[in-house]
């Protein structure tokens, strides 16, 4: 491939890096990095592979078919994978939402005239969620925290993101625990309502992170200089999004199922780059992992601090 732009003229060679990502809000910083050509400017050629589920991302990273998972890779599934294959992954960013930071990550979505106001009202009813072990586990925990038995009182249903609002509107399920932008778009359409905003942050941790940015330790070990560049690029793109979400929203219509006329309704995600991760973020991520341990999905104890990229790992 020939690179004619001035930015690339200075590159002796282009380093090839493989990314696996999900077309969701939490991945916004990656879309901005692509749009702003931050990888090319750093002499990196990205093989960019869109995945259909969180599990596919983690599988590709564990099998070393990819070098990194941009923001939006599943934070919980990453730790399940780490417990089975220790030392394979490092976390270098977190994405989600929170009540105190006024950023929406998830909502309990119902019909506008529904009697369901909280998870406690789901007895004898059905709840849809993002397919896979991460959101199944979070949903079970949310039901249990409301005093109900997830095996007896509520029917949990795997529902692809695009099917969640139609399922609520059509009565296939009584409610969904949905990630943004499902809630914002549903509320704007008038066809559905949020019974609760950020319910998971209320129960597990505030802020709450369901997404993570991931590097394979193989990539880190074999090409530390390139890995360092990738981390810096995602940090730079994260800063751009956080500073001016309105400017970069149009990229979402290109990379996700969000349509141009829905952009105005989107809630800004809470994105944390590597350089900004702090003690509050660590505690929040630990709280999610502890839920997975409590629900019997993964054996503990797991200390998430051991799984977070250290500055020394990239020579900083």
């Amino acid at each position: 491939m020939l690179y004619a732009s001035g930015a690339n003229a200075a590159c002796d060679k282009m380093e090839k890096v493989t990314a696996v990502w999900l077309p969701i809000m939490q991945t916004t910083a990656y879309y901005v990095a692509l749009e702003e050509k931050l990888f090319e400017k750093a002499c990196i050629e990205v093989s960019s592979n869109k995945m259909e589920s969180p599990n596919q991302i983690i599988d590709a990273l564990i099998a070393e078919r990819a070098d990194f998972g941009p923001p939006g890779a599943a934070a919980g599934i990453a730790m399940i994978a780490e417990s089975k294959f220790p030392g394979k992954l490092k976390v270098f960013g977190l994405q989600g939402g929170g009540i105190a930071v006024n950023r929406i990550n998830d909502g309990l979505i119902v019909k506008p005239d529904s009697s369901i106001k909280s998870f406690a009202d789901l007895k004898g009813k059905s709840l849809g969620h993002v397919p896979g072990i991460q959101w199944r586990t979070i949903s079970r925990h949310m039901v249990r925290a409301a005093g109900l038995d997830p095996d007896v009182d509520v029917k949990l249903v795997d529902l692809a993101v695009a099917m969640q609002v139609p399922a609520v509107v059509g009565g296939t399920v009584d409610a969904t625990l949905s990630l943004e932008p499902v809630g914002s778009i549903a509320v704007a359409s008038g066809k559905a309502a949020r019974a609760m905003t950020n319910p998971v942050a209320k129960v597990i941790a505030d802020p709450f992170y369901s997404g993570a940015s991931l590097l394979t330790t193989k990539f880190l070990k074999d090409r530390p200089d390139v890995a360092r560049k990738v981390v810096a690029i995602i940090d730079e793109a994260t800063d751009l999004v956080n500073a001016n979400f309105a400017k970069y929203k149009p990229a979402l219509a290109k990379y996700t199922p969000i349509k141009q006329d829905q952009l105005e309704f989107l809630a800004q995600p809470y994105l944390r780059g590597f350089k900004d991760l702090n003690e509050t973020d660590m505690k929040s991520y630990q709280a999610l992992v502890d839920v997975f341990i409590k629900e019997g999905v993964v054996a503990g104890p797991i200390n998430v601090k051991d799984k977070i990229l250290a500055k020394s790992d990239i020579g900083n």
Side-chain angles (χ1 to χ4, degrees):
M1 192 182 294
L2 293 173
Y3 290 85
S5 76
N8 294 307
C11 297
D12 292 332
K13 67 165 185 169
M14 297 296 285
E15 289 282 356
K16 291 195 175 182
V17 172
T18 302
V20 279
W21 57 280
L22 271 185
I24 58 174
M25 290 281 292
Q26 293 179 355
T27 316
T28 303
Y30 178 64
Y31 312 144
V32 170
L34 294 175
E35 290 298 293
E36 295 290 346
K37 303 200 180 311
L38 300 184
F39 290 104
E40 287 97 325
K41 289 171 187 172
C43 304
I44 293 172
E45 180 187 337
V46 180
S47 172
S48 188
N49 301 282
K50 182 167 77 171
M51 299 283 130
E52 298 302 319
S53 75
N55 297 54
Q56 289 179 349
I57 288 180
I58 306 301
D59 287 348
L61 292 170
I62 293 296
E64 296 170 352
R65 294 193 303 271
D67 300 305
F68 81 107
I77 300 174
M79 289 305 104
I80 295 174
E82 260 294 302
S83 71
K84 291 178 181 170
F85 306 98
K88 283 270 196 174
L89 303 172
K90 284 288 183 182
V91 176
F92 70 99
L94 293 168
Q95 304 83 40
I99 299 154
V101 297
N102 197 28
R103 294 280 184 265
I104 302 175
N105 183 66
D106 48 79
L108 182 63
I109 310 300
V110 297
K111 281 183 180 176
D113 59 352
S114 173
S115 61
I116 297 167
K117 305 299 178 199
S118 72
F119 281 80
D121 299 325
L122 289 171
K123 187 164 186 177
K125 302 195 184 308
S126 54
L127 175 70
H129 59 79
V130 177
I133 190 70
Q134 174 156 311
W135 283 94
R136 171 64 57 118
T137 302
I138 291 168
S139 298
R140 287 176 63 83
H141 184 77
M142 294 297 292
V143 167
R144 210 188 296 282
L148 302 177
D149 184 336
D151 293 314
V152 177
D153 296 325
V154 181
K155 182 185 178 187
L156 295 176
V157 182
D158 278 23
L159 267 183
V161 173
M163 295 309 300
Q164 290 178 2
V165 173
V168 169
V169 173
T172 311
V173 295
D174 297 296
T176 59
L177 175 54
S178 294
L179 276 169
E180 278 298 303
V182 173
S184 291
I185 292 169
V187 171
S189 75
K191 292 178 181 176
R194 275 195 201 97
M196 297 179 77
T197 300
N198 280 332
V200 184
K202 290 184 173 79
V203 171
I204 296 179
D206 185 24
F208 172 72
Y209 301 112
S210 54
S213 313
L214 303 169
L215 289 170
T216 68
T217 49
K218 183 181 191 304
F219 178 39
L220 200 54
K221 183 169 161 245
D222 293 353
R223 296 191 287 164
D225 291 346
V226 186
R228 188 187 307 118
K229 284 183 182 179
V230 167
V231 172
I233 287 165
I234 297 299
D235 267 9
E236 182 183 346
T238 299
D239 285 347
L240 290 172
V241 176
N242 287 338
N244 197 344
F245 181 58
K247 176 182 176 181
Y248 293 107
K249 267 200 287 195
L252 289 159
K254 179 174 175 181
Y255 293 95
T256 78
I258 297 162
K259 297 178 179 64
Q260 201 74 35
D261 60 0
Q262 296 171 328
L263 292 175
E264 63 181 294
F265 305 119
L266 302 185
Q268 182 169 346
Y270 190 51
L271 309 176
R272 302 290 286 167
F274 172 63
K275 65 181 173 54
D276 296 322
L277 293 178
N278 60 25
E279 200 61 33
T280 300
D281 300 326
M282 304 286 182
K283 284 179 181 170
S284 176
Y285 193 12
Q286 186 68 56
L288 172 63
V289 174
D290 289 346
V291 163
F292 278 69
I293 294 167
K294 193 174 177 183
E295 290 289 333
V297 173
V298 64
I302 294 174
N303 184 351
V304 299
K305 284 186 181 177
D306 298 338
K307 311 298 183 182
I308 305 275
L309 185 71
K311 287 181 177 170
S312 58
D313 290 333
I314 51 172
N316 284 3

